[in-house]
Amino acid sequence: MLLLQHLNSVLYEFSQARLIYRIAITYFLGAYSICYLGHQAAQSINMPFENLPIVIVQPLSQLSQAINLGCSVFIIEENVMLHFLDQYILAHNEAEYRSSSKYFLIVIHSTGGSQAEILRSIQNHPVTDEVPNMLVVVQKNASFELLTLKFVGNGPTSSEYQLLDRYDAANHSFIYGNELFPDKLDNLEGKTSRVASFDVVPWVMLLQEDEGNVRYNNQSYTLDGMDGYLLTQFCLRYNCTWELQVDQKNLYGKVFNDGTGNGIFGALLDRKVDFAIGAVGAYYSTFKYFSITQPLQWVGVTCLVPRPRLVPYWKLVFLIFTKSVWLILGVTFMTLSVCIYIFNKPTADAQLNGFMWIFFKVLKSFVLTSSDLPRNNTPLAITVASLLMFTIIVGNTYIGKIHSTLAFPPYQNPISTVWDLARSGIKLNGEHASWMYSLDLSENQRDKIILSNFHVPPAGQLAALINKGQEATMIAVLQNGHSMVGSWINAWNVELYRIMSEPLYFEFEAGYATKTWPLLDRFSYFSSWIRDACLFKYIELIEVDRYMDHSVQVSIEHSRDRPHSQLKNMKVEEISGALLILGIGAVVSAMVFCLEVNMHSF
């Protein structure tokens, strides 16, 4: 009798191994690698897996390394099953390989009460809510039952077992011939997924609605905005519900070195949510913690910089010529003064006409006034003739330039390029540090300068800072030409700024998910379908028109236009340069006069 029981046990074990191999060769032939988990490698001897890429994981502490080998299929023996489920999330968090399509094939050898207890432990484990493709093989008399969990829906019903098929061990055939890994994600039957976002125009805006497919603070909402539309339509397509978590204080948040975080990144890291979206780029610094969807939209990041102001009129007197020209004029002036003085010394009136007399005569010639320069000999005549010709040419050039400058008032050099921004040394401000996440690891000296000049003003002070128009502020340029600006940019203060002619950088918006969220591929496929159909362009036009100030958009678009120059009467400011020179001369002469009076009084 014992021998018969042993033979039956060996027969069923052989039949079970053959069944597992048949399932694997049918459904997992295209898998990159298959992880086999059991206490003893001997348990796999009767499984002819030589045609499949099997990775035997022993011990389970090496699970994350095995996942990095490309494992997306897991064949699990019952003796390590609970330990594997406990380590599943942790191992995937540590692993770098990501695949949202996971397959579990759990092999149960026990029968009777032990079998029922193992099935209950699987049913009640939270990891089962992360794996829709789960198949449990259990022995029932002379056959094997192939079970799965319902997965779809919410509450206890989603953890109910469903019989997919039976396998006749004697005939080596399936009784019903059903699909063993049915598509459970096409209709989620109202299943709730948790999403983190926040109110950011025109990407995500919350609208309370009685029949919305978003739950927030135990109330029903729908979502507007480009990302809000995507979330809403996704759940309409796959019949699901979103449970929303909003952190309007920390917004995107950040991940700290100790493995904690805040904002939407912190919520994902703590697995309070499954998914996060809301005008967020695919950052290298956060990628190691999460999975990322396919790119959603192109987004350019640039700055509104203070408009260039008119060059002060007192500077125009000096800015007509460059520094090198002024230097040449100064050297020429002094050289001619010395030459005329030397050439004039042998003459009879040399005693009366000293160097200062010559100096002021040459100065009068430079400012195009009449001057009786000495020309008593040939060297003097030639020098004076060349001086007159030189001063006429240079003086008329100066006059022509200053007249044209006053007709079209010059502006200070604008900040148009990224290099202009770095060289200017101007401060940059933004609502959140995430504006600079894409530049964090840059070794470019230009980017380092911009990073050092960036700061996040205290809450509530950003609007007052923008109204001053003295710092650059971060904005985004949407894919179809509109500008994403905060509510602190209005029709009045936007006139203080102009948009740069090139982006600071550009990136592609993406959604973030935990490394085990099973809907990631479906979301990427759905968003790609919407993007390829050009629906984002249509949505952008609608959302910008609904929620953003049209006059601000127009002002930003035309902020680089040169203002019209109109005829106007001369103002005092336009002769401020001449007044400055006259004032300096008067002050210096008064000081010298006072000094001479004091010296002669003693």
Side-chain angles (χ1 to χ4, degrees):
M1 189 66 179
L2 291 175
L3 179 60
L4 181 60
Q5 289 179 352
H6 177 70
L7 290 175
N8 287 335
S9 176
V10 171
L11 177 62
Y12 281 121
E13 183 178 342
F14 176 77
S15 299
Q16 190 179 54
R18 185 169 182 174
L19 169 62
I20 299 304
Y21 175 74
R22 186 170 176 179
I23 294 172
I25 205 69
T26 302
Y27 292 96
F28 308 144
L29 196 58
Y32 187 80
S33 62
I34 301 172
C35 281
Y36 173 79
L37 300 102
H39 271 323
Q40 297 178 2
Q43 290 177 312
S44 65
I45 292 176
N46 293 327
M47 301 182 186
F49 287 152
E50 63 273 7
N51 297 324
L52 294 171
I54 291 293
V55 177
I56 298 177
V57 184
Q58 291 179 346
L60 282 184
S61 59
Q62 299 177 355
L63 182 57
S64 60
Q65 292 93 318
I67 294 172
N68 282 332
L69 294 176
C71 278
S72 58
V73 178
F74 300 88
I75 300 176
I76 311 143
E77 299 283 352
E78 69 170 74
N79 50 18
V80 297
M81 181 265 303
L82 287 178
H83 186 41
F84 165 76
L85 294 179
D86 292 337
Q87 295 295 317
Y88 178 77
I89 298 294
L90 180 61
H92 278 82
N93 287 342
E94 295 175 351
E96 296 180 0
Y97 178 75
R98 296 159 174 81
S99 174
S100 64
S101 298
K102 306 288 186 181
Y103 291 84
F104 283 8
L105 180 53
I106 301 177
V107 182
I108 307 297
H109 301 284
S110 302
T111 58
S114 299
Q115 183 186 94
E117 184 178 350
I118 292 174
L119 290 175
R120 279 194 301 271
S121 63
I122 296 173
Q123 189 177 31
N124 296 328
H125 203 283
V127 166
T128 58
D129 207 37
E130 304 274 347
V131 186
N133 301 311
M134 178 183 294
L135 184 64
V136 183
V137 179
V138 297
Q139 182 180 340
K140 290 291 184 180
N141 300 323
S143 64
F144 296 96
E145 289 187 349
L146 305 176
L147 307 176
T148 189
L149 295 178
K150 184 180 179 183
F151 182 78
V152 298
N154 292 305
T157 59
S158 64
S159 300
E160 293 177 352
Y161 279 106
Q162 293 181 329
L163 177 64
L164 295 175
D165 211 334
R166 282 191 172 90
Y167 181 79
D168 190 336
N171 298 326
H172 304 296
S173 62
F174 294 99
I175 296 177
Y176 306 125
N178 292 333
E179 175 69 33
L180 298 185
F181 292 96
D183 186 1
K184 301 175 185 178
L185 303 181
D186 196 58
N187 182 4
L188 294 170
E189 298 182 9
K191 188 178 185 65
T192 298
S193 292
R194 302 163 300 170
V195 61
S197 189
F198 54 91
D199 194 84
V200 50
V201 179
W203 301 90
V204 178
M205 290 80 74
L206 275 71
L207 300 176
Q208 193 165 0
E209 189 174 300
D210 293 337
E211 297 183 358
N213 56 7
V214 177
R215 299 290 300 175
Y216 175 59
N217 287 341
N218 294 323
Q219 293 182 336
S220 178
Y221 284 81
T222 188
L223 296 175
D224 209 351
M226 293 184 288
D227 288 342
Y229 175 84
L230 186 58
L231 291 172
T232 301
Q233 294 300 315
F234 178 80
C235 269
L236 288 176
R237 164 62 183 86
Y238 292 104
N239 189 17
C240 63
T241 304
W242 293 111
E243 181 182 331
L244 182 64
Q245 177 171 318
V246 176
D247 188 348
Q248 201 65 36
K249 177 182 178 181
N250 294 306
L251 304 180
Y252 304 98
K254 65 181 302 183
V255 177
F256 304 110
N257 294 331
D258 60 358
T260 62
N262 57 18
I264 63 175
F265 290 140
L268 266 180
L269 199 64
D270 297 337
R271 289 189 172 259
K272 296 177 181 177
V273 296
D274 307 302
F275 188 60
I277 194 172
V280 57
Y283 306 125
Y284 177 81
S285 58
T286 56
F287 173 71
K288 63 181 179 180
Y289 302 104
F290 312 113
S291 292
I292 300 178
T293 66
Q294 291 183 9
L296 303 180
Q297 299 185 70
W298 179 93
V299 180
V301 175
T302 186
C303 295
L304 287 180
V305 295
R307 285 180 182 268
R309 294 174 173 81
L310 285 170
V311 175
Y313 282 105
W314 68 268
K315 287 185 177 181
L316 294 181
V317 176
F318 309 101
L319 294 180
I320 298 302
F321 290 152
T322 62
K323 294 179 180 179
S324 59
V325 174
W326 283 115
L327 179 62
I328 291 173
L329 289 176
V331 172
T332 303
F333 173 78
M334 293 303 300
T335 302
L336 288 171
S337 298
V338 171
C339 289
I340 293 175
Y341 175 73
I342 294 173
F343 295 156
N344 190 46
K345 287 190 72 173
T347 62
D349 58 349
Q351 300 298 325
L352 300 175
N353 302 334
F355 181 78
M356 290 306 297
W357 183 86
I358 298 294
F359 180 87
F360 280 104
K361 290 295 183 181
V362 175
L363 180 61
K364 289 174 66 177
S365 178
F366 263 76
V367 296
L368 300 182
T369 59
S370 60
S371 60
D372 51 344
L373 287 167
R375 43 195 185 278
N376 301 329
N377 53 43
T378 302
L380 278 174
I382 295 174
T383 303
V384 170
S386 61
L387 171 61
L388 292 176
M389 294 177 63
F390 175 78
T391 54
I392 288 174
I393 294 172
V394 173
N396 282 287
T397 301
Y398 182 88
I399 292 171
K401 280 184 172 293
I402 200 167
H403 275 293
S404 63
T405 300
L406 292 175
F408 299 97
Y411 287 82
Q412 297 172 344
N413 291 331
I415 300 174
S416 295
T417 66
V418 181
W419 267 116
D420 291 340
L421 183 66
R423 282 192 289 259
S424 69
I426 193 172
K427 291 289 185 180
L428 292 84
N429 60 61
E431 187 185 14
H432 194 273
S434 60
W435 286 106
M436 289 294 151
Y437 282 175
S438 293
L439 301 183
D440 274 344
L441 302 178
S442 174
E443 295 296 328
N444 190 301
Q445 186 62 31
R446 176 193 66 185
D447 296 338
K448 289 182 177 181
I449 295 173
I450 293 173
L451 273 170
S452 65
N453 292 331
F454 177 79
H455 70 108
V456 178
Q461 297 184 17
L462 185 57
L465 194 60
I466 296 297
N467 288 337
K468 295 180 180 179
Q470 297 177 352
E471 293 186 359
T473 187
M474 306 297 297
I475 67 168
V477 178
L478 305 182
Q479 183 168 354
N480 296 292
H482 298 93
S483 298
M484 171 190 159
V485 296
S487 58
W488 45 88
I489 302 290
N490 52 48
W492 173 78
N493 58 28
V494 73
E495 298 299 332
L496 303 175
Y497 298 90
R498 75 193 295 268
I499 191 171
M500 291 171 55
S501 60
E502 68 179 17
L504 188 61
Y505 62 89
F506 69 88
E507 59 191 8
F508 288 91
E509 187 211 1
Y512 281 71
T514 62
K515 293 183 180 180
T516 56
W517 191 49
L519 296 175
L520 182 64
D521 285 346
R522 296 300 173 106
F523 191 91
S524 292
Y525 169 79
F526 186 77
S527 63
S528 300
W529 179 79
I530 289 183
R531 182 186 64 241
D532 294 345
C534 298
L535 293 180
F536 279 128
K537 180 177 182 180
Y538 173 73
I539 300 166
E540 180 182 319
L541 291 172
I542 293 176
E543 302 304 334
V544 169
D545 182 64
R546 283 180 182 174
Y547 297 100
M548 305 192 77
D549 192 331
H550 178 71
S551 62
V552 171
Q553 296 291 317
V554 173
S555 295
I556 293 175
E557 184 67 23
H558 293 278
S559 61
R560 290 196 296 268
D561 295 349
R562 185 182 178 89
H564 296 291
S565 297
Q566 299 178 350
L567 294 175
K568 57 184 179 5
N569 297 326
M570 180 176 285
K571 299 179 181 179
V572 176
E573 290 85 354
E574 297 183 36
I575 60 172
S576 59
L579 291 174
L580 178 64
I581 295 174
L582 181 61
I584 292 174
V587 171
V588 173
S589 62
M591 292 174 61
V592 173
F593 176 75
C594 293
L595 182 61
E596 289 181 348
V597 169
N598 291 332
M599 290 178 64
H600 286 291
S601 63
F602 290 102

